[in-house]
């Protein structure tokens, strides 16, 4: 049996290694979990003793097969609960992450399997992130960050890089959600910002950071 804190570390390592394509460094883990590097070092040692993590000095931590299974199961539960909160309880997408963070630690595999079936076996959550299957498989789709589209191209929003409330509220104010059409009108060389038309109506200028954080499927 592992603790909630240990589960959170395993999930953080999974996300860092998935994003960076390399082992997770102590400082990166500390940044995600808002803790100290010393606390991370202590936890990595504990997880290593349980054979859930392997660690190399100056390289970082990576998950063992057992650790990867636990992390993937957590992500599956988290994202299924997010679908439930939005589709069945009608929460908005900016309010669900913290609630799902608590619900992901429920241990019942039978409950999660029934939840998956009840929801119709969704493959993506309300933020557009893929939901792994029970076997730990993720669905892959062709998607691009908005800043990679060229002038005149249109993309349909299928996901967002960040789930922070402020960022999602910003998109809400612009009436941008999954399924919104975003047409590139102008790429501004001066500051690398992008002028975009939203659903053939309003226009907005996105800083490069915002355009990079929106995932679209080319239309």
């Amino acid at each position: 049996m592992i603790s909630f804190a240990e589960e959170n570390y395993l999930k953080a390592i999974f996300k860092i290694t998935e994003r960076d394509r390399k082992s997770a460094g102590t400082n990166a883990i500390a940044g995600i979990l808002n803790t100290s590097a010393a606390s991370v070092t202590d936890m990595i040692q504990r997880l290593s003793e349980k054979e859930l993590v392997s660690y190399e000095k100056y390289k970082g931590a990576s998950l063992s097969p057992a650790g990867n299974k636990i992390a993937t199961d957590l992500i599956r539960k988290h994202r299924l609960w997010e679908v439930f909160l939005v589709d069945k309880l009608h929460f908005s997408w900016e309010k669900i992450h913290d609630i799902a963070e608590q619900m992901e630690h429920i241990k019942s595999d039978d409950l999660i399997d029934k939840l998956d079936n009840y929801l119709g076996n969704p493959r993506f959550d309300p933020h557009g992130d893929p939901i792994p299957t029970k076997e730990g498989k993720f669905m892959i789709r062709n998607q691009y960050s908005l800043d990679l589209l060229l002038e005149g191209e249109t993309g349909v929003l299928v996901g967002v890089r960040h789930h922070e409330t402020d960022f999602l509220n910003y998109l809400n104010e612009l009436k941008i959600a999954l399924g919104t059409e975003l047409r590139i009108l102008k790429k501004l060389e001066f500051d690398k910002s992008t002028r975009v038309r939203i659903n053939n109506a309003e226009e907005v200028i996105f800083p490069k950071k915002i355009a990079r954080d929106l995932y679209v499927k080319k239309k």
Side-chain angles (χ1 to χ4, degrees), residues 11-25 27-32 161-162 215:
K11 189 173 72 167
I13 294 168
F14 180 96
K15 289 186 173 182
I16 293 168
T17 54
E18 181 185 44
R19 179 192 68 200
D20 299 341
R21 303 298 177 187
K22 62 180 182 180
S23 298
N27 290 334
I29 299 170
I32 283 185
R161 185 189 298 265
H162 300 295
Y215 295 128

Side-chain angles (χ1 to χ4, degrees), residues 100-169:
E101 285 280 298
Q102 302 170 54
M103 300 173 77
E104 71 185 26
H105 296 289
I106 293 173
K107 301 297 184 184
S108 173
D109 292 336
D110 188 44
L111 172 62
I112 300 306
D113 290 343
K114 289 182 182 296
L115 176 66
D116 193 5
N117 290 330
Y118 174 65
L119 295 172
N121 308 115
R123 295 281 64 90
F124 295 94
D125 74 11
H127 301 117
D129 293 322
I131 300 172
T133 64
K134 185 176 182 178
E135 296 73 33
K137 304 297 184 183
F138 289 82
M139 179 174 286
I140 305 299
R141 66 181 170 202
N142 291 325
Q143 64 182 31
Y144 306 85
S145 61
L146 186 67
D147 70 317
L148 295 180
L149 267 61
L150 304 176
E151 290 181 7
E153 291 188 319
T154 299
V156 176
L157 187 69
V158 295
V160 292
R161 185 189 298 265
H162 300 295
H163 303 166
E164 287 84 356
T165 300
D166 289 346
F167 176 60
L168 297 176
N169 278 333

Side-chain angles (χ1 to χ4, degrees), residues 12 41 198 219:
T41 300
I198 304 169
K219 186 174 179 183

Side-chain angles (χ1 to χ4, degrees), residues 2 6-14 47 53 63 70-71:
I2 68 171
E6 290 170 330
E7 289 181 332
N8 287 335
Y9 270 84
L10 294 173
K11 189 173 72 167
I13 294 168
F14 180 96
L47 294 172
V53 164
L63 298 177
I70 293 170

Side-chain angles (χ1 to χ4, degrees), residues 37 42 73 126 130 133 195:
D42 290 343
D73 284 347
T133 64
R195 186 155 57 91

